[in-house]
Amino acid sequence: MDSSIAYQGSGRHLGFDQIRELSMFAADGLLPDLTVLLDLEASVAQARRNKTGEAPDRLEREKIEFFETVRQAFLDLAAAEPRRWLVLDATQSVDEMQTQIRERVASL
């Protein structure tokens, strides 16, 4: 649901509130107890993708502004519901992020 809101509602400019309302209807109002956001600047994410050596897919070929808009939408969602979200700096090591995720899940 959150990805639909961020990518379609904000990134594709289909209406943040409209996509959220439709998603909430489809999910019968249910929300996850925890959503983990691995936050990374769009330019850093793009550089990581480019290092894979794989051809970018349709979504990955979008302009950097699209990803900046989507990232901001995710951050706005997280700021609106901080108890439901865990926002992690994705420049950290996998082990550091894993520890933080495990701690948050354990607290639930």
Side-chain angles (χ1 to χ4, degrees), residues 42 62-70:
E62 288 287 346
K63 293 180 180 174
I64 195 80
E65 294 82 13
F66 171 82
F67 294 106
E68 290 168 349
T69 299
V70 170

Side-chain angles (χ1 to χ4, degrees), residues 23-71:
S23 297
M24 288 297 290
F25 173 77
D28 198 25
L30 296 176
L31 291 170
D33 292 330
L34 176 64
T35 300
V36 178
L37 174 60
L38 304 180
D39 181 39
L40 192 62
E41 288 183 24
S43 59
V44 176
Q46 187 177 51
R48 283 186 182 181
R49 276 192 312 275
N50 291 341
K51 288 181 183 179
T52 67
E54 295 180 19
D57 65 23
R58 180 184 56 82
L59 182 62
E60 292 168 337
R61 288 191 299 267
E62 288 287 346
K63 293 180 180 174
I64 195 80
E65 294 82 13
F66 171 82
F67 294 106
E68 290 168 349
T69 299
V70 170
R71 176 184 182 226

Side-chain angles (χ1 to χ4, degrees), residues 1 4-5 29 42 81 87:
M1 181 176 95
S4 293
I5 295 167
E81 296 182 79
V87 180

